[in-house]
Amino acid sequence: MSSMTDGFTRAQAARLSGCSAAQLRAWERAEFVAPSAPDATYTFRDLVVLRIVQSLLDAGTPKPRVRSALRALAAWGDDLAALRLIADGRTVWACGDDGQVLDALRHGQLALFVPVERFVDEVDAEVRAFTEDREQFVAELLANPADFASGS
C-alpha cells in the first residue's frame, strides 16, 4: 500500500478516485463524504472510500445503502484491504474473513458484494503513478529552470 502521507487536494482526489471535483464538492455539501485530514485534504483512505462510493453509485446502488456502506467502512478502521462489503436489500455487513461472509449470506439474498482490496490496489497504483509524475516534474524543473521560465 502507498506510503504517501501527504494530503490530497480536491482536484487531486478527483483525479485519483475517478470522481469529478464537482461531485466531491456536492458530496461534501450534502455531508455524504468529506476529506478526513485535519487540514481538509483527502487521505489515502479517503481516496479508497471515494472510489468505492463512485463504484456503488455507478452500479445503481441507492444512496441510503451507500450511506450504510460508508458507516461500515468507518467502523472497520484503516485496514480496508481485508474488508469485503456484503449487502442485501436492507443491511450492509463488513466482513473480514470467509466465515463472516458466510454468516452475512445466511441472512438473505446477496444483492451486493464489494471486495475492497481491489479498490485499495487501484488507488495505490494511481497514487504511485501520480507521485512519480510529480517527482519527475520537480526533478526536470530543478534541472532546467530556464526551460520552464521561458515557457519552452
Side-chain angles (χ1 to χ4, degrees):
M1 189 171 353
S2 177
S3 62
M4 184 163 187
T5 57
D6 295 340
F8 299 93
T9 65
R10 183 183 296 125
Q12 292 168 335
R15 174 182 171 196
L16 294 167
S17 68
C19 303
S20 71
Q23 275 178 309
L24 295 183
R25 278 192 300 279
W27 290 349
E28 290 168 17
R29 281 192 305 274
E31 297 180 356
F32 193 54
V33 295
S36 64
D39 60 355
T41 58
Y42 288 87
T43 64
F44 179 85
R45 186 184 194 288
D46 295 335
L47 299 179
V48 173
V49 170
L50 290 172
R51 185 145 314 184
I52 292 168
V53 167
Q54 185 64 50
S55 176
L56 293 172
L57 293 173
D58 287 348
T61 306
K63 279 194 175 180
R65 191 174 305 157
V66 175
R67 285 189 189 277
S68 293
L70 287 169
R71 285 190 295 276
L73 288 166
W76 185 260
D78 288 332
D79 185 20
L80 294 180
L83 177 65
R84 286 163 285 182
L85 296 174
I86 297 179
D88 62 11
R90 298 176 309 270
T91 308
V92 175
W93 291 275
C95 303
D97 61 45
D98 291 341
Q100 290 175 320
V101 170
L102 291 174
D103 286 343
L105 292 175
R106 286 188 192 115
H107 287 91
Q109 182 177 355
L110 175 64
L112 175 70
F113 180 81
V114 180
V116 176
E117 180 179 24
R118 177 179 64 121
F119 295 103
V120 171
D121 291 344
E122 289 174 0
V123 171
D124 186 54
E126 290 286 330
V127 168
R128 286 178 189 276
F130 174 79
T131 302
E132 288 171 12
D133 288 348
R134 182 172 59 184
E135 288 171 356
Q136 182 179 356
F137 173 78
V138 170
E140 289 175 13
L141 178 65
L142 293 173
N144 302 305
D147 290 346
F148 290 93
S150 66
S152 353

